[in-house]
């Protein structure tokens, strides 16, 4: 399940940064923390699945910010319809 979540969240992070920028990182963090909190009250396999996705979202919140830095450095694709702080 952890490998599935990593494989799922990587392209999502790239698309989120491309379309929305880094401003959604706080929403990802909040949703991830909420899922981790909910997983405490669930049982067995469901708790594991929800917890892994919560941890994946928390990691993705940081990864969106790092992806934005990669875009600014020219290491990732830039959205031509959006303004960046370095222009």
């Amino acid at each position: 399940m952890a490998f599935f979540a990593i494989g799922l969240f990587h392209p999502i992070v790239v698309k989120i940064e491309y379309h929305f920028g880094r401003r959604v990182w706080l929403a990802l963090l909040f949703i991830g923390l909420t899922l981790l909190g909910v997983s405490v009250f669930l049982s067995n396999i469901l708790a594991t699945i929800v917890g892994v996705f919560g941890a994946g979202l928390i990691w993705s919140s940081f990864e969106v910010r790092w992806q934005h830095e990669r875009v600014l450095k020219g290491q990732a694709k830039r959205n031509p319809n959006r303004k960046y702080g370095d222009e």
Side-chain angles (χ1 to χ4, degrees):
M1 184 53 64
F3 289 118
F4 175 75
I6 291 168
L8 177 70
F9 285 126
H10 177 70
I12 289 174
V13 164
V14 172
K15 295 222 181 273
I16 284 175
E17 197 290 323
Y18 183 82
H19 291 289
F20 302 107
R22 64 179 174 196
R23 66 179 180 240
V24 297
W25 76 272
L26 197 56
L28 293 173
L29 181 65
F30 177 74
I31 294 168
L33 289 172
T34 301
L35 286 178
L36 278 182
V38 167
S39 73
V40 172
F41 300 105
L42 300 175
S43 62
N44 296 334
I45 192 71
L46 188 59
T48 303
I49 293 170
V50 172
V52 164
F53 276 94
L57 281 168
I58 291 170
W59 183 261
S60 295
S61 70
F62 296 110
E63 193 64 41
V64 165
R65 295 171 63 186
W66 297 331
Q67 177 71 12
H68 185 75
E69 291 174 13
R70 288 189 289 269
V71 168
L72 294 178
K73 292 177 184 175
Q75 299 169 344
K77 188 175 178 184
R78 198 179 270 247
N79 185 344
N81 299 325
R82 199 161 46 89
K83 284 215 172 252
Y84 289 87
D86 66 336
E87 297 176 326

